[in-house]
Amino acid sequence: FRVVSVTDIPERQLKAYHLLHETSRAQHFHVDSADTNNVFSVIFKTLPSDSSGVAHVLEHLSLCGSKKYPVRDPFFLMLKRSLNTYMNAWTYPDATVFPFATQNAEDFKNLLGLYLDTTFFPLLRELDFRQEGHRLEPVDLKDREGTTLGLKGVVYNEMKGVYADSSRVFSKELQSALYPSGTYQHSSGGDPLHIPQLSYNSLRAFHSKYYHPSNARFFTYGDLPLEEHLQF
């Protein structure tokens, strides 16, 4: 890593570091503080070209098992087992963010290993894509013939709820009107009318394009040594 800048923030008793990894071109921002609640986040610039919800579905799918943690939903298992004070993942119109916080140093290392592996080396199984994205299944599960099919999916159902809120729809339409070209015209979370158009191969291609260290920003905060973060 090469230190790009060091900034003192005396009014908050903080020191901020900006570092660049010369090989991968990844950037790391660290805020040194006496706060024992240590924070980590990896942020990817993700620019969807449609409203299929590819960034949102990928956010969900990344947390469904990885190369080092090939179990179902390791993220939710750690929610119950770790000492975290915060764990989440967010999809923005132009970025996807994976943050966590904890006051325990060993827990920090465990969560850091989980987050890095699930984002950079997710399994991206097609079965998980069908569960998290969209699928057809019988409307009545007791119907053995399965004659009436309906669309289901975690993200699909979530966004149906979002689009049932008139204020959320207004906000999305306002954003599209203000930015009629480029990524901001689309719904990064996914429009229920367009989510079924998302293909499994398109999702894998989106991960290959955007989930790379050169397209990532790493952020750490707290009293744990910066050197330990960089060694990890």
Side-chain angles (χ1 to χ4, degrees):
F1 282 89
R2 174 171 60 85
V3 178
V4 178
S5 65
V6 179
T7 305
D8 283 309
I9 309 173
E11 60 270 24
R12 295 288 183 180
Q13 295 82 51
L14 304 174
K15 181 173 285 189
Y17 298 83
H18 176 200
L19 303 100
L20 175 68
H21 190 254
E22 296 282 11
T23 303
S24 68
R25 311 307 293 173
Q27 296 188 55
H28 188 133
F29 299 87
H30 176 73
V31 177
D32 184 42
S33 167
D35 193 346
T36 59
N37 191 42
N38 287 272
V39 176
F40 169 83
S41 182
V42 56
I43 305 101
F44 299 97
K45 183 178 182 179
T46 47
L47 306 175
S49 58
D50 56 37
S51 295
S52 66
V54 59
H56 190 185
V57 176
L58 180 56
E59 174 218 308
H60 279 239
L61 215 62
S62 295
L63 305 175
C64 288
S66 64
K67 183 178 179 181
K68 188 177 179 180
Y69 305 97
V71 296
R72 188 71 182 92
D73 290 336
F75 178 85
F76 293 101
L77 290 174
M78 288 301 288
L79 273 173
K80 297 180 289 184
R81 297 183 179 186
S82 86
L83 300 173
N84 72 85
T85 55
Y86 186 79
M87 284 179 68
N88 210 336
W90 315 318
T91 300
Y92 288 106
D94 56 4
T96 307
V97 185
F98 297 86
F100 74 77
T102 180
Q103 298 186 50
N104 183 280
E106 194 63 31
D107 192 46
F108 187 94
K109 293 178 183 178
N110 292 337
L111 290 172
L112 181 58
L114 172 66
Y115 269 62
L116 292 178
D117 205 63
T118 54
T119 51
F120 289 103
F121 304 104
L123 295 179
L124 300 182
R125 294 170 291 214
E126 186 168 5
L127 186 63
D128 293 330
F129 169 73
R130 296 301 173 192
Q131 174 175 296
E132 301 296 325
H134 61 84
R135 65 185 182 278
L136 287 172
E137 69 174 40
V139 173
D140 183 1
L141 296 179
K142 296 180 180 179
D143 180 8
R144 293 181 177 274
E145 300 297 327
T147 53
T148 305
L149 300 178
L151 276 167
K152 301 288 184 179
V154 174
V155 170
Y156 177 77
N157 290 339
E158 178 185 336
M159 295 310 296
K160 282 177 66 178
V162 169
Y163 273 73
D165 183 341
S166 59
S167 63
R168 299 287 291 272
V169 174
F170 175 80
S171 177
K172 171 64 192 69
E173 292 303 319
L174 177 61
Q175 178 179 291
S176 298
L178 291 172
Y179 305 100
S181 61
T183 191
Y184 298 106
Q185 66 180 303
H186 305 299
S187 172
S188 59
D191 185 327
L193 294 175
H194 297 281
I195 290 174
Q197 299 171 8
L198 176 62
S199 71
Y200 174 62
N201 288 335
S202 296
L203 180 131
R204 291 184 65 90
F206 194 85
H207 179 270
S208 296
K209 181 177 182 179
Y210 290 110
Y211 280 51
H212 187 274
S214 63
N215 191 50
R217 300 293 183 270
F218 298 91
F219 173 78
T220 49
Y221 163 92
D223 67 346
L224 292 178
L226 171 59
E227 293 80 7
E228 292 186 8
H229 300 326
L230 300 181
Q231 288 173 4
F232 197 94

